[in-house]
Amino acid sequence: MKKIALVTGANKGIGFETAKQLAAHNIKVLLGARNETEGEKAAAALRNLSLDVTFVKLDISKSIDIDNVRKYIESEYGVLDILINNAAVFLDGAWFGNNTETVPIRTLRDTFDINYFGTVELTQELLPAIKKSGAGRIVNISSMSGSFGAHLDKEHWLYALKPYAYSASKTALNQFTVFLANALDASRIKVNAVSPGWVKTSIGSDQAPLTPEEGAKSAIAMALLDENGPTGTFSQSGESAPW
């Protein structure tokens, strides 16, 4: 029986490539996107490549969408083997500089609604289905921008880039990863965070050195971990990343 995977924010960029690469491993992929037109278009493009992909409408800032997806997975499949929490927004306006003193509270709230609260709510709602899997995998797409270690290191390339809303949301996501991995330590479920690197996406810009195909590889590796793989880690391209 095929494994079932859900990828959020999968109509473009890293999410789209993650869905594509998972499906290429003979996995049934549910392509989550908040825009129905774009989501259906993305799913159709992958089906045209003979990949088993189905669009599901999912705006993770809306509880009704989360509930609908949970019900759909439970009724159609009864189990979820892989959850890739990829959906995210960047609302700070600019990467360079430090906007901590001026970032609007609304920007913080809107960023956390997607990057943190929506991700946590979706994961909690889908945990019963993931627990039915023989080897559940949860992969949180984080960012080096959420790393305390990187931001404290004056020699790190990221040191001059301190967009507070985005960075803080990813730091919170990293802690969710650690705590959830601890809570599920006695189970077969593995929970890990990955930084895809600086990727050419709507968030990463055209100046980024990595393609979405390259950026998706870290998530794919964690999604396909065997029983001896790690849990509660933060990594990029197979290398441990500083918390």
Side-chain angles (χ1 to χ4, degrees):
M1 184 177 177
K2 276 190 174 184
K3 287 185 176 181
I4 310 298
L6 170 63
V7 183
T8 67
N11 59 294
K12 62 181 181 179
I14 296 170
F16 179 81
E17 285 300 326
T18 300
K20 180 180 179 180
Q21 292 180 33
L22 280 177
H25 282 87
N26 196 35
I27 294 170
K28 168 70 180 184
V29 176
L30 304 179
L31 186 153
R34 57 183 173 181
N35 184 296
E36 292 188 57
T37 301
E38 293 301 317
E40 290 283 13
K41 181 180 178 181
L46 295 181
R47 286 197 296 272
N48 286 339
L49 299 175
S50 299
L51 298 174
D52 191 359
V53 177
T54 298
F55 165 70
V56 291
K57 183 182 181 302
L58 179 58
D59 180 340
I60 63 171
S61 69
K62 295 182 178 178
S63 295
I64 189 170
D65 278 13
I66 291 174
D67 192 49
N68 287 338
V69 168
R70 175 187 62 79
K71 290 176 180 176
Y72 173 74
I73 290 173
E74 289 177 349
S75 64
E76 291 295 318
Y77 309 104
V79 63
L80 182 64
D81 300 288
I82 299 167
L83 172 60
I84 310 288
N85 285 314
N86 168 75
V89 294
F90 181 87
L91 305 177
D92 290 87
W95 276 96
F96 283 93
N98 186 332
N99 67 343
T100 310
E101 296 171 282
T102 58
V103 60
I105 294 302
R106 174 48 58 191
T107 297
L108 276 165
R109 292 186 188 280
D110 289 348
T111 300
F112 268 74
D113 272 348
I114 298 290
N115 297 4
Y116 181 67
F117 292 118
T119 297
V120 172
E121 182 179 358
L122 177 69
T123 304
Q124 289 179 336
E125 286 294 306
L126 295 180
L127 269 176
I130 297 172
K131 288 179 178 179
K132 293 178 182 177
S133 170
R137 302 289 180 262
I138 299 171
V139 184
N140 295 324
I141 307 303
S142 186
S143 168
M144 285 300 293
S145 190
S147 164
F148 282 125
H151 285 295
L152 289 169
D153 181 0
K154 293 184 179 180
E155 302 302 318
H156 197 283
W157 67 268
L158 193 71
Y159 187 77
L161 284 64
K162 288 181 167 54
Y164 184 65
Y166 182 78
S167 302
S169 71
K170 292 300 186 177
T171 301
L173 182 63
N174 282 354
Q175 186 169 66
F176 176 58
T177 301
V178 172
F179 279 34
L180 184 60
N182 177 271
L184 299 172
D185 190 52
S187 74
R188 295 181 180 180
I189 301 172
K190 296 185 184 296
V191 188
N192 292 286
V194 299
S195 168
W198 187 12
V199 181
K200 288 184 176 69
T201 64
S202 57
I203 290 179
S205 84
D206 291 335
Q207 303 301 312
L210 299 178
T211 64
E213 292 90 341
E214 293 169 321
K217 290 181 179 178
S218 293
I220 297 299
M222 287 300 176
L224 301 179
L225 284 176
D226 62 25
E227 61 182 10
N228 297 313
T231 189
T233 68
F234 180 34
S235 63
Q236 179 177 313
S237 301
E239 299 291 331
S240 179
W243 293 108

